[in-house]
Amino acid sequence: MAKLNASSRQILTQCFKKIVGSRHVLTSERATAPFRKAFREGGGPALAVVKPATLWQQWQVLEACVKADVIIIMQAANTGLTGGSTPTENCDRNTVIINTTRINDIHVLDPQQQIVAFPGASLFSLEKALAPYGRVPHSVIGSSCIGASIVGGICNNSGGALVERGPAYTELALYAQINQDGTLKLVNHLDIELGNTPEEILTNLQNKKYSSKDVLSTGKLASDSEYAQWVRETTHDSPARFNADPRRLHQASGCAGKLAVFAVRVDTFVKNEQESTFYLGTNSTDALQAVRKTLLEDSTSLPVYAEYLHRDIFNLADDYGRDTVLLIRNLGTNWLPKFFNIKRQLDSLCNRVPFLKPGFIDKAVYKLAKLFPSQTPKKLHEWNKKYEHQLILTIKGHLDEETQSLLNNLKDKHEIDYFKCDEQTAKAAYLLRFAAAGAAVQYASINNQEVESIVALDIALKRNDPNWFETLPDELNSKLVNKLYYGHFLCHVFHQDYLVRKGEDAKAIKSALLDILEQRGAEYPAEHNVGHHYVAKPELANNYKTLDPTNTLNAGIGSMSKKRNYADE
């Protein structure tokens, strides 16, 4: 297949403009840059970015793309950390990005135990929509703050910080699939009666032209209801959750953009009336592992959160994540998506100015934030100096006495200490934890003369692995400026960021790190999906090929073929 000539490109863009309006078809390098560049890494060229306003427009744009034989990238907030919702280089066809952020409806289904989310609807919006009913979505920390979409979470089997939830998952979805013969078909597995033709189905859903009788009761899962028991099984020789887990690869769930998803039907959850937060510290990895086993095996009800922070990421996040913390504290989380979008546009603009050095915007933001004092309470700083390993533990309020009893027993047997947080300290601790990932990226950008790049890994250890804290050989350590560890401790899911020393081969270091993880029986990625950062393992690659046999949607993810019909594999 060949790329489109100038005349064909013009015909296609005119078609897009007829469908969505000229304002919502972006073609210039500058206008498309924020959509073509990934949140943390990766990016490539695109013929156009098209922003439909309705589900029917989305279908029409898809039809035009399929007819023109271009690669299609389905994109919402573009907050993915592995480049999976952005184009890639060296493809055999042109790429079109369909950005769905304008299609952001959420339908709360009676009796509020499930919702239907359109492709651009964000977790943050869902939090607000469910608040009057005393319910919450699958994820309520981290991804929700930066504007991540509900559909994106499902497509990537995203995990999150909530111990009980597991990967985002549903068997109820409405999506388009491109068949082997290149035809586009709409598949309605929402179990909602909406009509027969694509126009009927999509228009009726868009306008909520369906009654409660049309919403069928179903035996299909709308969340990973088995996970709460699954994560408790600490003796099992497999990880609790990871992106290639065949248990949770089902149509839209885990499709990684290999289907064009229009809507998903997912469960909601009762909001805890009261919560208590404890801050734990230790210099013993064995002690923290004992905490993990005790909380998972002996607690009456699972904790809400159990977020791990190593001393080094604490220090880095307090310094280089201060801008994020200040923004959330003073303007609220609803400003974060806007902030990141503006920052991406400014980065793109500055990259075109010859006399501006790389990382100019990051340095400016960092210096502005440094005018303010540390946003982390003195008590947490003292704890960090005293203890290398820290755990932010939040439990349901009625378990306060039980949890303190378990922790006191552990304290008697192991080198560990804890204190109960007041509301302000708990909030500050979670803000610091949230700022961790962005802080590492900002550090690398600002200190680009010292740091070659970041190798950011997202791993799931076996549930029975007692040696959860990594020890690297000296030959690898010498090639790194720092190693940063944080994650969802009870699930044994860790984010491990390695700052590669200037001049070292980041690809070779990444390969060596992954080899070590293979030897440990770990799985990767755990919750961010393969994108263009990881190689898709055979079972995952086969799932992608089954969903998208012509390799039209999100070609090249998982280091797979970028050619039509996977021609070079």
Side-chain angles (χ1 to χ4, degrees):
M1 291 293 119
K3 294 188 178 182
L4 302 179
N5 59 34
S7 174
S8 297
R9 289 199 302 271
Q10 186 175 13
I11 290 170
L12 184 57
T13 54
Q14 286 301 318
C15 179
F16 292 151
K17 289 175 181 178
K18 187 176 179 181
I19 296 168
V20 305
S22 298
R23 277 187 61 203
H24 304 293
V25 180
L26 312 178
T27 55
S28 72
E29 287 284 311
R30 181 175 172 182
T32 60
F35 304 89
R36 292 186 292 105
K37 188 178 186 305
F39 184 74
R40 183 155 67 185
E41 67 170 86
L47 184 153
V49 175
V50 189
K51 304 177 77 174
T54 66
L55 298 174
W56 176 236
Q57 284 184 4
Q58 180 180 328
W59 173 265
Q60 291 174 294
V61 172
L62 278 167
E63 282 188 313
C65 289
V66 171
K67 185 177 179 181
D69 196 27
V70 296
I71 291 169
I72 303 164
I73 304 288
M74 299 303 303
Q75 181 190 86
N78 194 20
T79 59
L81 297 177
T82 58
S85 58
T86 47
T88 185
E89 303 277 359
N90 305 316
C91 295
D92 62 343
R93 293 151 289 168
N94 294 98
T95 298
V96 171
I97 299 170
I98 302 177
N99 183 279
T100 60
T101 48
R102 296 176 68 209
I103 318 173
N104 54 13
D105 303 48
I106 294 171
H107 296 171
V108 180
L109 304 177
D110 288 332
Q112 299 89 44
Q113 293 176 357
Q114 290 186 335
I115 61 99
V116 173
F118 288 13
S122 70
L123 282 164
F124 181 73
S125 297
L126 181 55
E127 281 186 60
K128 292 197 291 185
L130 292 176
Y133 307 109
R135 301 188 73 85
V136 292
H138 170 270
S139 297
V140 293
I141 190 173
S143 295
S144 58
C145 294
I146 59 174
S149 70
I150 301 159
V151 166
I154 293 294
C155 292
N156 291 306
N157 280 151
S158 298
L162 290 159
V163 177
E164 292 178 306
R165 299 281 204 269
Y169 181 78
T170 188
E171 295 167 3
L172 297 157
L174 173 64
Y175 58 87
Q177 185 169 25
I178 300 169
N179 295 323
Q180 182 69 62
D181 61 4
T183 57
L184 186 69
K185 73 170 180 179
L186 187 68
V187 180
N188 181 11
H189 284 164
L190 282 175
D191 282 7
I192 300 175
E193 296 289 351
L194 295 165
N196 298 308
T197 68
E199 186 170 10
E200 284 178 340
I201 292 168
L202 297 171
T203 304
N204 286 337
L205 181 60
Q206 183 84 56
N207 298 327
K208 208 173 182 180
K209 285 189 174 179
Y210 59 89
S211 67
S212 57
K213 293 179 181 178
D214 296 318
V215 181
L216 308 179
S217 58
T218 176
K220 296 177 183 176
L221 294 178
S223 64
D224 187 353
S225 57
E226 299 169 346
Y227 185 76
Q229 180 57 39
W230 188 258
V231 73
R232 282 186 181 270
E233 295 169 354
T234 60
T235 60
H236 282 224
D237 195 41
S238 63
R241 56 179 166 96
F242 57 99
N243 287 127
D245 187 352
R247 293 172 58 251
R248 292 298 172 250
L249 296 176
H250 182 84
Q251 297 169 0
S253 294
C255 74
K258 285 298 195 176
L259 298 171
V261 180
F262 289 83
V264 293
R265 180 175 164 186
V266 295
D267 287 336
T268 68
F269 304 87
V270 176
K271 183 178 182 179
N272 299 322
E273 289 186 12
Q274 289 185 321
E275 294 177 350
S276 297
T277 296
F278 301 92
Y279 201 86
L280 284 69
T282 181
N283 291 310
S284 165
T285 57
D286 290 341
L288 211 54
Q289 181 69 349
V291 171
R292 174 178 173 268
K293 285 181 65 67
T294 297
L295 291 173
L296 288 176
E297 294 173 1
D298 299 340
S299 58
T300 304
S301 180
L302 285 173
V304 182
Y305 305 113
E307 291 297 288
Y308 169 74
L309 284 170
H310 183 264
R311 175 183 287 150
D312 289 348
I313 191 63
F314 181 109
N315 290 328
L316 197 83
D318 179 63
D319 195 3
Y320 287 85
R322 195 169 301 177
D323 57 333
T324 301
V325 174
L326 283 164
L327 190 69
I328 296 173
R329 179 162 284 164
N330 293 291
L331 297 177
T333 53
N334 58 318
W335 270 90
L336 271 185
K338 300 171 189 175
F339 171 75
F340 287 122
N341 188 43
I342 292 168
K343 185 176 177 295
R344 272 199 290 252
Q345 292 183 40
L346 289 173
D347 281 333
S348 176
L349 182 63
C350 290
N351 288 338
R352 296 173 176 274
V353 180
F355 61 84
L356 291 180
K357 294 181 180 179
F360 174 80
I361 295 298
D362 280 310
K363 289 177 183 176
V365 170
Y366 173 71
K367 287 180 179 179
L368 183 63
K370 286 290 282 185
L371 296 175
F372 295 84
S374 170
Q375 299 297 295
T376 307
K378 184 179 178 182
K379 175 83 169 176
L380 298 186
H381 277 290
E382 291 171 350
W383 217 253
N384 186 54
K385 288 178 183 176
K386 190 175 181 181
Y387 298 113
E388 181 181 3
H389 309 287
Q390 291 143 76
L391 190 71
I392 314 167
L393 176 67
T394 296
I395 52 106
K396 295 163 187 171
H398 70 277
L399 296 175
D400 197 310
E401 188 175 323
E402 176 190 291
T403 302
Q404 291 200 61
S405 176
L406 291 173
L407 293 178
N408 286 334
N409 288 337
L410 286 161
K411 189 176 174 180
D412 290 340
K413 299 174 185 177
H414 300 277
E415 181 204 334
I416 196 163
D417 202 358
Y418 76 94
F419 66 90
K420 187 174 180 180
C421 299
D422 57 31
E423 186 177 348
Q424 184 179 358
T425 304
K427 184 177 180 180
Y430 279 113
L431 279 175
L432 185 72
R433 164 63 185 90
F434 170 67
V441 175
Q442 190 179 67
Y443 180 92
S445 176
I446 292 170
N447 298 279
N448 53 69
Q449 293 183 329
E450 173 193 6
V451 177
E452 182 69 29
S453 65
I454 293 181
V455 174
L457 301 182
D458 159 37
I459 69 162
L461 298 182
K462 295 187 296 184
R463 283 171 283 172
N464 65 354
D465 188 347
N467 302 312
W468 59 271
F469 191 71
E470 181 177 70
T471 303
L472 294 180
D474 290 341
E475 60 180 305
L476 265 179
N477 273 326
S478 65
K479 298 176 181 179
L480 303 172
V481 174
N482 206 346
K483 302 165 295 187
L484 305 165
Y485 300 101
Y486 52 104
H488 316 308
F489 190 66
L490 298 193
C491 301
H492 254 194
V493 167
F494 293 92
H495 304 301
Q496 303 187 167
D497 295 345
Y498 306 86
L499 299 171
V500 178
R501 197 175 299 280
K502 195 72 175 178
E504 297 291 349
D505 186 342
K507 288 185 178 179
I509 290 170
K510 177 181 172 182
S511 179
L513 290 167
L514 294 180
D515 285 345
I516 291 170
L517 290 171
E518 288 283 349
Q519 294 165 21
R520 295 175 67 188
E523 290 283 353
Y524 55 86
E527 59 180 5
H528 292 160
N529 222 324
V530 289
H532 296 289
H533 187 68
Y534 299 94
V535 175
K537 294 185 177 181
E539 196 155 19
L540 190 60
N542 288 336
N543 183 58
Y544 293 157
K545 289 179 181 179
T546 300
L547 297 176
D548 179 25
T550 65
N551 200 21
T552 297
L553 288 147
N554 218 356
I557 60 163
S559 297
M560 294 171 66
S561 171
K562 299 177 183 181
K563 295 186 181 295
R564 197 177 199 282
N565 297 321
Y566 309 92
D568 55 351
E569 290 190 1

